[in-house]
Amino acid sequence: DTLWDLAIAEVEKRENPDDDGKRVEVCEKSVLFMGNKNGGKTTIILRCLEREEIPKPTLALEYTFGRRARRHNTPKDIAHFWELGGGTSLLELIRIPITSNNIRSFAVVLVLDLSKPNELWTTMEKLLQVTRNHVNKILTKLEKTNPEVATEIKQRMRNNLQRDHPDYELVDPFPIPLVIIGSKYDIFHEFDSEMRKIISKTLRFVSHYYGSSLVFTNKSEALLLKARALINHLAFGYDKSKSVSVDHSKPLFIPAGLDSLSQIGPPPASDSDIGKMHANTPLELWKKVFEKTFPPKSFCDLHDTKDPAEDLQYAEYEVDVMRAQKNQ
């Protein structure tokens, strides 16, 4: 048999029902991890895939995958994990993993370092803005070429919140599934209780506004398991957890659609302060209140001081010799 004959036979075998008459579809989903530099993204991915490796710093955009079988003797589902390194300095790479071919099964995990509140809002805003713009471009194209899919994607995000939810008209869901993870909870837990409350309330508002799930985590096994449950839901379609923890003195855990603006309450500032702030949207108001307590750092992510070409793990003899010649 030629390679083509074998390929045709393989496809026919997959398409024809197996012994019990049911055809098993292999499900493929993709998840993009992004967030603060050194915020713990790689550690979370390794835990999700149950890999005992020591995390290395992520260079630009990295890819790995995991496979899980839903039941015994069934083909394994595949989850593609992409990780964007460099904080907010490599935003244009977001368009590589998210394409019109995989947009229906794509999700985003935003990892925010709770120990750096002054970088928190800027990082979150930049990353979510660029991702949203890119996804919206894809959806606009899809509306022309495949309107059913575009409508299905938009409707799915609306469905995170029940129609009878009091905030149904007040929120602006992110166009694709989103999970926000607050990492380094152990350091955050040492903060002053008022600071913790402001950060927690703000993240609850942002998460609810975008129709996202929210979880706080650190390297402890119990907290990582909770984050893993949310990621497994995105990556392998596992059931969503129904438990909720909104107590500011404990790690937050709020699956999408289970919070409400009345429970979160108003932004943590006095009425006179809020009166002086000019904001066009609730999100803008929360941003101003948050940045009053935690002024954003003017940080420049753009120039990484370490040259990845000097890193031994990327050594490539022939390339390095040619490069040395060129530099000379």
Side-chain angles (χ1 to χ4, degrees), residues 11-258:
V11 168
E12 279 174 354
K13 196 170 91 186
R14 284 185 190 180
E15 286 182 351
N16 291 329
D18 24 333
D19 305 344
D20 60 355
K22 282 201 288 287
R23 194 177 139 215
V24 181
E25 252 324 293
V26 170
C27 185
E28 282 193 47
K29 294 185 178 232
S30 307
V31 183
L32 169 64
F33 287 76
M34 53 192 191
N36 293 82
K37 240 189 218 168
N38 309 322
K41 300 182 287 295
T42 311
T43 307
I44 293 167
I45 292 174
L46 291 174
R47 280 303 298 121
C48 279
L49 298 173
E50 294 172 17
R51 286 191 198 151
E52 301 294 328
E53 290 171 33
I54 294 162
K56 296 194 192 96
T58 300
L59 184 74
L61 184 68
E62 292 198 1
Y63 168 81
T64 184
F65 68 93
R67 301 173 72 196
R68 296 269 161 86
R70 271 174 279 186
R71 288 186 303 283
H72 188 55
N73 279 346
T74 57
K76 289 182 172 176
D77 292 337
I78 301 166
H80 306 281
F81 284 166
W82 296 86
E83 183 187 354
L84 180 71
T88 55
S89 62
L90 301 166
L91 291 170
E92 62 279 10
L93 293 180
I94 283 172
R95 61 174 190 264
I96 294 170
I98 311 178
T99 65
S100 51
N101 297 331
N102 64 13
I103 189 85
R104 285 171 86 169
S105 55
F106 209 97
V108 171
V109 174
L110 175 65
V111 180
L112 297 171
D113 186 337
L114 295 173
S115 69
K116 297 180 183 161
N118 300 74
E119 293 177 18
L120 198 139
W121 192 284
T122 321
T123 303
M124 173 178 73
E125 189 173 55
K126 279 187 181 172
L127 288 167
L128 291 182
Q129 220 165 10
V130 173
T131 310
R132 185 170 213 152
N133 292 345
H134 176 61
V135 170
N136 285 341
K137 269 185 201 156
I138 292 177
L139 289 177
T140 310
K141 271 189 199 155
L142 274 178
E143 275 167 357
K144 294 187 183 110
T145 57
N146 198 338
E148 291 88 12
V149 172
T151 313
E152 178 204 321
I153 291 169
K154 287 180 178 171
Q155 199 44 52
R156 187 182 60 195
M157 286 319 292
R158 271 274 165 214
N159 292 346
N160 255 342
L161 217 53
Q162 301 300 325
R163 274 192 178 278
D164 54 1
H165 193 292
D167 307 334
Y168 189 78
E169 295 299 331
L170 304 171
V171 296
D172 182 16
F174 204 68
I176 53 178
L178 172 67
V179 167
I180 297 175
I181 296 181
S183 66
K184 304 196 182 171
Y185 178 76
D186 42 346
I187 302 173
F188 171 76
H189 192 59
E190 304 298 315
F191 284 8
D192 164 68
S193 72
E194 201 46 44
M195 281 167 73
R196 287 208 313 265
K197 193 176 169 189
I198 292 173
I199 297 168
S200 298
K201 275 185 84 159
T202 304
L203 284 178
R204 275 180 71 186
F205 172 79
V206 170
S207 173
H208 182 57
Y209 187 75
Y210 284 136
S212 148
S213 298
L214 175 66
V215 59
F216 283 3
T217 185
N218 58 18
K219 285 182 182 164
S220 85
E221 201 54 36
L223 289 186
L224 274 170
L225 273 173
K226 290 196 153 188
R228 214 175 117 187
L230 289 175
I231 294 164
N232 278 337
H233 170 68
L234 298 179
F236 298 106
Y238 285 21
D239 287 345
K240 246 199 206 157
S241 171
K242 290 280 189 286
S243 71
V244 177
S245 167
V246 293
D247 182 350
H248 297 310
S249 59
K250 297 192 181 107
L252 296 182
F253 180 80
I254 312 168
L258 297 183

Side-chain angles (χ1 to χ4, degrees), residues 239-295:
D239 287 345
K240 246 199 206 157
S241 171
K242 290 280 189 286
S243 71
V244 177
S245 167
V246 293
D247 182 350
H248 297 310
S249 59
K250 297 192 181 107
L252 296 182
F253 180 80
I254 312 168
L258 297 183
D259 211 342
S260 69
L261 295 175
S262 58
Q263 279 179 300
I264 298 165
S270 67
D271 290 349
S272 61
D273 279 351
I274 288 180
K276 288 178 201 149
M277 291 176 184
H278 299 292
N280 298 323
T281 62
L283 195 66
E284 216 175 292
L285 181 64
W286 279 83
K287 175 184 176 175
K288 289 189 169 169
V289 171
F290 184 80
E291 291 188 341
K292 195 167 186 279
T293 312
F294 304 106

